[in-house]
Structure formats: C-alpha cells, structure tokens
Amino acid sequence: MLRVLAVDDEVPALEEIAYLLRQDPRIEHVSTAVGGVTALQDMVQMIGTGERLDGVFLDIRMPGLDGLDLARLIAGFPNPPRLVFVTAHEECAVQAFELEAVDYLLKPLRADRLAEAVRRLEAMTPAAADPVPEDVIPVELAGRTRFVPQQAVWFAEAQGDYVRLHTDEGSYLVRMPLAALERRWAGSGFIRVHRSTLVSVRHVSELRFDGGRVMLRVGTETLPVSRRHTRQVRERLIRQFRDRQAVPGVVRGRSLPSAALR
C-alpha cells in the first residue's frame, strides 16, 4: 500500500484531495502540507526518521516555493517519491513531465482521474524483490537470551532509555528508545497511539470512547489514545478492518456509529 503526501496552499483544495485519497484502498497513509515550504520541511523530517514516502500530490502555483521548484528539490532526495501534479494551470504540463511526473491532473479534481493517477503511481512504485524476514528482538533473561518475534508483540511502551515489549507470555525490557523501534518496524503494522506507546494493529480488537477519551483493546490490555494521534489511529483501523466489513468499536456496549469514526 502507498504512503503519500498532498501539498496545496489552499486549505479547501488540500482537504478535498486528502479526503479522496483516503477513500482509496490502495492508499495506506495520507499526510498533508499547506504550501511548498512546509512540504519541504516535512519531507526532510520524514527522511531523517526513515519514514517511507511513495508519492507526492503537488499543486503548482504556490507562494514562497511553487510546485515545480519543489519538484526539482525532491529530485535530489535519496530515493525520491513519485510526483503527481494537481493544478488549475494547463500550461505547465510540459515542464511537469520533464520532471518525470506520473500524472498531471487539472482542477476541479475528478475522482476517476485521481483514481487513475493512484493506479499509475502504484504501478511505478517498486515492490520489495524478496520478502523481508520477520524481525526478532533479543532479550537477556538471567544469563539466557530469548528472541521475541515481532508478531508476538501486542504493544511497546517507552520507559526512559528502554522499551518494554508486551506479549501474551509476559513483558520484556529492552535497551532501545521507542523512536528507534518505531523506525525499525515502520511498515510492519505498528502505529504510534501515544508519545510513549507503539501498538501492533493486528492485535487491536476494539476501539471505544470512554469518558471522552479514545481507548484501544490490545491483547488483554486497554490503552489510551492521545488526542494528537486519534485521527491517524482511527483511519488506520478503519482501513485495517474494511476488508472484513467490521470496524472495531464499542460505546458502552453498543456498536460505534460510523459517523463517529469520520
């Protein structure tokens, strides 16, 4: 699945394309940036943290740093993301394709054309040549080394310079910052739900509201979701369970209305 960034200096236009992209089952995650300068800053940060970015949906006419200039800067990145231009200006198409754009969409945006651009982006995004073996974390236990497989971990909890891995067999303390573990397991089904908690999506069985707070049931534990991470967590879980035609969610014993998840 694709991880993309949408860039536009007009907030309504940015919200529209982000909404349409989030409806596409081929899209795993959509980030947004208002303007070219903010987008450049966000992408530099993504590179620094090892976050994958497959494509950028990019407006052209923007103050400060326009889309064509931003595209030229992106071309200098290591493993640069593919570009899809979304603009009201037809006259820039030649320059856009000289920059090896995947597609060139004209505003007002049509959902079918956006879907076609996503299809082209997906076709041009290389898949891993070989399956990546499952990661294991070595844990020292009274002179013995135990290897904890990634899929066994319900969630990881930051404890100073350490991280505690919670599994159905117990918990294990490992000398590793949570941010380093998040980068190591990026794209492997783990999502940050709190500044101190990283959760395995495969082990989430329930999402609910409790006294105004969003809570997750993970394994046998109930964990809070911070307000900062609520939207991202909710969207990720909806995508995760959409194919099963079931969204985990209970409010005081009742199914959570779909409108509450939007």
Side-chain angles (χ1 to χ4, degrees):
M1 296 176 71
L2 301 170
R3 299 179 65 87
V4 302
L5 172 67
V7 185
D8 202 305
D9 65 307
E10 298 180 354
V11 173
L14 183 60
E15 290 177 345
E16 178 188 18
I17 189 171
Y19 172 80
L20 292 173
L21 287 168
R22 288 175 179 133
Q23 308 313 302
D24 195 309
R26 296 164 294 186
I27 301 292
E28 176 185 357
H29 179 71
V30 180
S31 300
T32 59
V34 180
V37 174
T38 301
L40 182 60
Q41 293 170 342
D42 289 351
M43 281 186 277
V44 169
Q45 183 177 1
M46 289 176 186
I47 292 172
T49 59
E51 184 176 347
R52 192 183 89 245
L53 181 63
D54 300 306
V56 180
F57 288 78
L58 183 58
D59 188 22
I60 289 183
R61 300 297 189 209
M62 296 184 292
L65 182 63
D66 74 15
L68 294 173
D69 288 336
L70 178 57
R72 295 183 183 101
L73 292 172
I74 292 172
F77 286 5
N79 302 316
R82 298 284 183 173
L83 302 175
V84 176
F85 286 95
V86 184
T87 178
H89 303 278
E90 298 181 359
E91 67 273 12
C92 298
V94 172
Q95 292 172 277
F97 286 112
E98 286 176 349
L99 292 167
E100 300 183 354
V102 172
D103 209 340
Y104 193 89
L105 308 182
L106 290 175
K107 298 176 182 178
L109 191 59
R110 295 191 350 242
D112 61 330
R113 279 292 290 118
L114 181 61
E116 171 61 16
V118 172
R119 185 197 67 76
R120 294 181 184 182
L121 176 61
E122 183 181 44
M124 298 180 71
T125 300
D130 299 302
V132 178
E134 184 190 0
D135 193 17
V136 294
I137 300 290
V139 179
E140 298 298 325
L141 295 171
R144 296 180 294 113
T145 301
R146 177 163 190 165
F147 295 96
V148 179
Q150 181 190 79
Q151 67 177 8
V153 177
W154 292 347
F155 65 97
E157 180 183 14
Q159 295 187 353
D161 293 332
Y162 290 79
V163 62
R164 184 170 293 280
L165 306 177
H166 295 264
T167 75
D168 60 353
E169 295 184 353
S171 65
Y172 307 95
L173 198 61
V174 181
R175 189 175 179 84
M176 176 188 297
L178 186 66
L181 184 65
E182 183 178 20
R183 289 193 296 270
R184 179 168 173 170
W185 286 351
S188 298
F190 283 78
I191 185 170
R192 185 75 76 105
V193 302
H194 191 277
R195 63 183 177 85
S196 63
T197 313
L198 186 67
V199 163
S200 171
V201 173
R202 67 165 63 92
H203 289 294
V204 175
S205 59
E206 182 180 274
L207 178 146
R208 71 171 187 263
F209 289 92
D210 187 358
R213 300 195 66 182
V214 177
M215 310 292 289
L216 294 180
R217 186 71 172 174
V218 186
T220 60
E221 302 290 329
T222 301
L223 305 175
V225 178
S226 71
R227 287 184 174 86
R228 176 184 175 186
H229 294 92
T230 294
R231 180 174 178 176
Q232 179 186 2
V233 170
R234 191 168 52 189
E235 290 175 353
R236 177 65 180 273
L237 291 176
I238 289 172
R239 286 194 298 270
Q240 177 77 10
F241 289 89
R242 180 158 44 193
D243 291 341
R244 305 180 197 177
Q245 295 184 340
V247 176
V250 174
V251 178
R252 299 186 184 91
R254 294 174 292 139
S255 297
L256 186 63
S258 59
L261 292 166
R262 292 175 187 157

